[in-house]
């Protein structure tokens, strides 16, 4: 079973029951990719892989694969001189 996000337990319908969105499990890879994007969004100078791993607690191999995917899709880019990832 997929791990659900911490915030999902707080999603309630108007009658106070748990919403359908909260009952649906999260997709771990998407959660990790969004965590990486959120970390990069907070960093003005971008972040190197070791910094991202330390800040997000995402395993290095997973973070690297996600960064490559995000870079190939054009969401982020890697500065060749500094090795830091950033938006754009």
């Amino acid at each position: 079973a997929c791990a659900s996000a911490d915030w999902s337990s707080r999603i309630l319908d108007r009658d106070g029951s748990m919403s359908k969105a909260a009952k649906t499990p999260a997709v771990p890879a998407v959660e990790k990719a969004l965590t990486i994007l959120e970390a990069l969004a907070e960093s003005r100078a971008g972040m190197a892989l070791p910094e991202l791993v330390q800040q997000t607690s995402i395993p290095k191999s997973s973070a690297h694969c996600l960064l490559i995917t995000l870079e190939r899709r054009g969401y982020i880019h890697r500065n060749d001189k500094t090795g830091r990832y950033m938006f754009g």
Side-chain angles (χ1 to χ4, degrees):
C2 298
S4 60
D6 294 338
W7 52 266
S8 66
S9 62
R10 296 189 302 247
I11 302 173
L12 302 176
D13 286 334
R14 288 185 178 157
D15 65 0
S17 64
M18 189 181 298
S19 74
K20 288 181 183 177
K23 294 176 186 175
T24 303
V27 178
V30 175
E31 291 281 346
K32 289 175 185 170
L34 292 172
T35 298
I36 288 172
L37 290 173
E38 289 167 355
L40 290 174
E42 294 176 5
S43 174
R44 291 184 180 191
M47 300 177 81
L49 178 59
E51 293 172 286
L52 278 164
V53 168
Q54 183 179 13
Q55 183 173 329
T56 64
S57 300
I58 295 172
K60 185 177 179 180
S61 60
S62 298
H64 183 254
C65 290
L66 289 166
L67 287 166
I68 296 300
T69 302
L70 291 167
E71 184 177 20
R72 287 178 181 162
R73 298 297 302 260
Y75 288 94
I76 62 173
H77 75 277
R78 183 177 178 268
N79 183 307
D80 290 332
K81 288 185 179 182
T82 64
R84 298 174 82 76
Y85 291 91
M86 54 196 75
F87 279 103

